[in-house]
Amino acid sequence: MYHVMVICSEYSPLKEVDRWLSRNGFHVNISQSIEQAKKYYELEDFEILLVDADALTDDSLSTIQSYKFIVFDQRPSLNAAVEYMAKGAHYFIPLPTDPDTVLAQVIEALEKPKATQQKDTHVQKNDINLFGDQENAPKTPPLGTPESGIIGNSPAMHILFDELLKIAKTDATVLIHGESGTGKELVAKSIHNLSKRKSQALISVNCAAIPENLIESELFGHEKGAFTGAVSARDGLIVAADHGTLFLDEIGELPLEAQARLLRVLQEGEIRRVGAVTSTKVNIRLVTATHRNLLQMVQSGMFREDLYYRLYVMELSVPALRERGDDIPLIAKTLLEKACKKHDKPIPHYNKAFDAAIREHTWPGNVRELENALERAVILSPEGKLEAHNLKLKRNERHQAATKGALTTTAQAPSSSFAIEGTTLDDYFKHFVLTHQHKMTETQLAQSLGISRKSLWERRQKLGVPRKVTE
C-alpha cells in the first residue's frame, strides 16, 4: 500500500483526491500546510506528496525538493508549470481535475525513480500537464523561471502553448498576431524566458509610442552631430539587445526608412548608426507583434515586402478574450487578486451574477479592458463584495455591428455539405478547411485559423483531411 500526503487548504479542490485515491487502495493523509505536515508526520514515510500551489512558499518548496511531489494549481499557467518543474516537481496539474488524471499521474510518478529526473538540466518529456491530459501537454521545454505568466486552458490556448514551446528553443524570428490587449508582449516575454537567451537582455520597444523622427535614432543609435540635438554619440536599443532578444511591438507602425535599416540588421547581422559610415556586428533574436494585417499593408505600399517575408518565419496567433471561454473567469480571478492587493482591499467573493456579466461582455479591449473593469469594480463595490454594475462596461457598437454582419453573412451563405458533427477543436478544423479550401489558398486558410502553414499541414495529416483536388 502506497502512503500519500495531500497538502492543501480546507476549501481546495485538491481535497477530493483523498476520496479518489482511497478507493484505489492508497493510504492518504491530509495537512493544510507543509509546516503542519512536518510537525505531525515524518515526510519520509510518504511515497509521494500532492501539493496545492496555494500552500507553497519559496521556503516550504525548498524543504520538499528531496521528495517526490506533484503540484496542483487553481490558476495554471505555462510559466508556473516550468518554474515548479525546475524546482523538482514531477508533474504540474491544473485544478479542478478528474480522478483518472490524478490516478494516472500518481502511479507514473511512483514508478519513475527520482534519480532519473535531470533536475538541473532538462525537464523530462510529458512531465508538464498544463491541460489535464498527457495528449495535450506541452513537451520538454528548457528550464527557466519566467515571471510573465500566461493563464489559459482553452483549446485556442492549447495551440498557442504547444507552438510557443517549440518555437522558443530555436533562434527563429517570430511574428505575433493578435488584437490590442490580448497579451502579445507576454507571449514575447515567454519566448525569451524559455529560450537559450534568457540570461541576456530582453529589450521591448513599442514602435507606435516613439515619434517618427526619433525612431531610427532610438533603435539604431546615432553619431555626434548626426542631427540637431545629437550632442554626443549613443548606441541604440538594438545594440542593447545584442546576444539577447529584441521585441518590436506594433511593427506595422515602423516608418519605411526604418524598415530598410531593420532589413539590413536581419540580412547582414550588422547595424549602422544614424550618421555613421561604418557598421557594427550584432547578434539578436527578433520577435515582432502587430494587430494589423501586414500583407494588406504590403499590397498598399505601407510595408516593405522583403521585410515582411524576413519577419514571417514563425508565426503565433494570440486569441481574442471572447474566444477563450472558461479562461475568462480564470483570468478574472487572478486579476481581481492583483487589483485587491494594489488597493489594499480584501479579496471579495466571486459570485454568479458577477461571473455572468463578465462572460456576456464581448471584451473588444481584451485582457487589458478586463483588467481595468475589474479594478473599477474593486474600487466601487462595497468591501468584500463584487457588484456587476460597478464594472461600468460600455457596449462597443462597432464591434457588435461587425459581429452582427458576420452572423448575417453566415446565415445567408449557402449550406455546406460538410456538417460539424462534434464540438471539439478538431471538428471545427475539419469543417472550416473542407468548407473553405476550394476558394482559399493554404496560406489564407492558415491565417484564418490563426496557425502557421506547417501547423495546417500537420493537422491535415493527423486528422486525415485531404487537400483540394486541382484539375
Side-chain angles (χ1 to χ4, degrees):
M1 176 186 292
Y2 285 114
H3 290 74
V4 178
M5 170 60 74
V6 176
I7 301 174
C8 64
S9 71
E10 183 70 23
Y11 305 103
S12 170
L14 187 57
K15 286 198 72 174
E16 288 292 312
V17 305
D18 178 13
R19 191 162 43 88
W20 301 339
L21 294 178
S22 296
R23 288 176 181 171
N24 287 275
F26 291 84
H27 182 81
V28 182
N29 290 91
I30 300 178
S31 297
Q32 293 191 4
S33 67
I34 292 175
E35 291 72 18
Q36 185 184 74
K38 289 178 64 180
K39 181 177 180 180
Y40 294 103
Y41 303 94
E42 294 292 337
L43 294 185
E44 292 80 3
D45 294 339
F46 297 91
E47 282 82 8
I48 192 165
L49 312 179
L50 309 184
V51 190
D52 189 322
D54 286 346
L56 283 174
T57 63
D58 289 341
D59 290 340
S60 62
L61 183 58
S62 64
T63 67
I64 63 170
Q65 287 180 325
S66 59
Y67 305 101
K68 285 187 179 181
F69 68 97
I70 297 175
V71 174
F72 295 75
D73 200 336
Q74 298 180 62
R75 294 175 296 278
S77 73
L78 173 65
N79 295 308
V82 174
E83 184 165 2
Y84 284 123
M85 295 299 301
K87 293 180 178 178
H90 275 68
Y91 300 107
F92 178 94
I93 303 175
L95 286 173
T97 184
D98 60 89
D100 291 339
T101 296
V102 173
L103 187 62
Q105 301 288 36
V106 168
I107 291 174
E108 190 170 347
L110 288 169
E111 292 178 349
K112 182 168 74 170
K114 178 74 174 179
T116 64
Q117 186 177 10
Q118 304 298 315
K119 192 168 74 171
D120 295 321
T121 53
H122 292 86
V123 176
Q124 297 298 304
K125 185 178 181 180
N126 289 335
D127 281 354
I128 296 180
N129 186 349
L130 189 58
F131 312 123
D133 61 83
Q134 284 298 308
E135 181 181 354
N136 290 320
K139 308 297 191 295
T140 323
L143 287 187
T145 55
E147 298 174 354
S148 54
I150 306 173
I151 300 171
N153 196 27
S154 61
M157 296 303 286
H158 289 193
I159 295 173
L160 176 62
F161 287 143
D162 183 52
E163 294 185 349
L164 188 155
L165 285 166
K166 294 175 183 176
I167 292 170
K169 55 188 175 184
T170 72
D171 250 350
T173 300
V174 185
L175 177 60
I176 304 171
H177 277 293
E179 296 179 7
S180 294
T182 51
K184 297 186 291 294
E185 186 169 1
L186 292 182
V187 173
K189 287 180 180 178
S190 291
I191 291 172
H192 174 76
N193 289 330
L194 292 168
S195 76
K196 60 187 178 183
R197 295 175 181 258
K198 63 180 180 289
S199 60
Q200 303 296 325
L202 167 65
I203 303 297
S204 298
V205 183
N206 188 328
C207 298
I210 304 175
E212 187 171 335
N213 62 330
L214 294 178
I215 196 162
E216 286 189 69
S217 171
E218 288 293 316
L219 288 176
F220 306 99
H222 61 257
E223 293 293 315
K224 180 179 179 180
F227 52 85
T228 303
V231 295
S232 63
R234 56 164 289 188
D235 289 328
L237 294 172
I238 293 178
V239 170
D242 194 20
H243 298 292
T245 303
L246 177 66
F247 172 53
L248 297 181
D249 198 5
E250 299 298 350
I251 186 69
E253 309 303 321
L254 197 65
L256 288 170
E257 295 80 2
Q259 291 178 28
R261 284 181 175 271
L262 181 61
L263 181 64
R264 181 175 179 84
V265 174
L266 294 175
Q267 288 178 332
E268 309 296 335
E270 61 183 32
I271 186 172
R272 190 168 64 197
R273 292 174 173 177
V274 176
V277 294
T278 58
S279 300
T280 304
K281 287 288 184 181
V282 289
N283 176 3
I284 63 167
R285 190 211 186 143
L286 183 64
V287 179
T288 61
T290 183
H291 71 282
R292 303 182 67 175
N293 188 323
L294 293 186
L295 202 53
Q296 286 184 358
M297 293 182 67
V298 168
Q299 293 166 355
S300 63
M302 298 173 63
F303 201 86
R304 291 181 64 107
E305 183 176 20
D306 46 6
L307 177 59
Y308 170 77
Y309 287 110
R310 279 283 178 177
L311 299 178
Y312 186 57
V313 178
M314 299 305 304
E315 184 178 38
L316 289 173
S317 181
V318 186
L321 186 59
R322 61 185 172 276
E323 299 168 359
R324 295 176 58 181
D326 288 339
D327 283 354
I328 297 176
L330 186 68
I331 296 168
K333 290 174 185 178
T334 301
L335 294 177
L336 270 174
E337 291 184 13
K338 178 181 176 183
C340 289
K341 184 177 181 180
K342 177 180 178 181
H343 297 286
D344 195 24
K345 288 179 173 284
I347 298 174
H349 175 64
Y350 189 85
N351 57 68
K352 290 183 179 180
F354 195 82
D355 182 70
I358 284 177
R359 288 175 183 269
E360 288 171 5
H361 191 59
T362 55
W363 300 111
N366 294 293
V367 179
R368 188 177 297 120
E369 182 188 2
L370 174 62
E371 183 173 16
N372 292 339
L374 291 170
E375 187 167 357
R376 287 195 293 271
V378 166
I379 293 172
L380 297 175
S381 296
E383 194 163 289
K385 294 183 179 181
L386 282 175
E387 296 177 345
H389 68 272
N390 284 324
L391 288 164
K392 302 289 185 183
L393 298 175
K394 295 185 182 298
R395 298 296 173 186
N396 187 293
E397 295 177 2
R398 183 177 65 177
H399 184 271
Q400 288 183 328
T403 303
K404 183 177 180 181
L407 291 172
T408 302
T409 303
T410 302
Q412 294 174 350
S415 60
S416 168
S417 59
F418 305 108
I420 300 180
E421 298 178 352
T423 57
T424 68
L425 195 63
D426 287 345
D427 294 326
Y428 175 78
F429 175 88
K430 290 179 186 178
H431 173 75
F432 185 88
V433 171
L434 291 172
T435 302
H436 296 90
Q437 66 179 356
H438 68 284
K439 56 187 176 184
M440 296 174 70
T441 65
E442 291 293 285
T443 298
Q444 290 170 331
L445 281 171
Q447 288 178 342
S448 297
L449 289 165
I451 59 178
S452 65
R453 282 188 53 140
K454 182 174 182 292
S455 295
L456 175 62
W457 179 83
E458 288 175 343
R459 287 187 173 83
R460 277 187 182 276
Q461 301 299 309
K462 175 184 174 184
L463 301 174
V465 181
R467 293 187 64 171
K468 64 182 176 183
V469 178
T470 56
E471 297 180 356

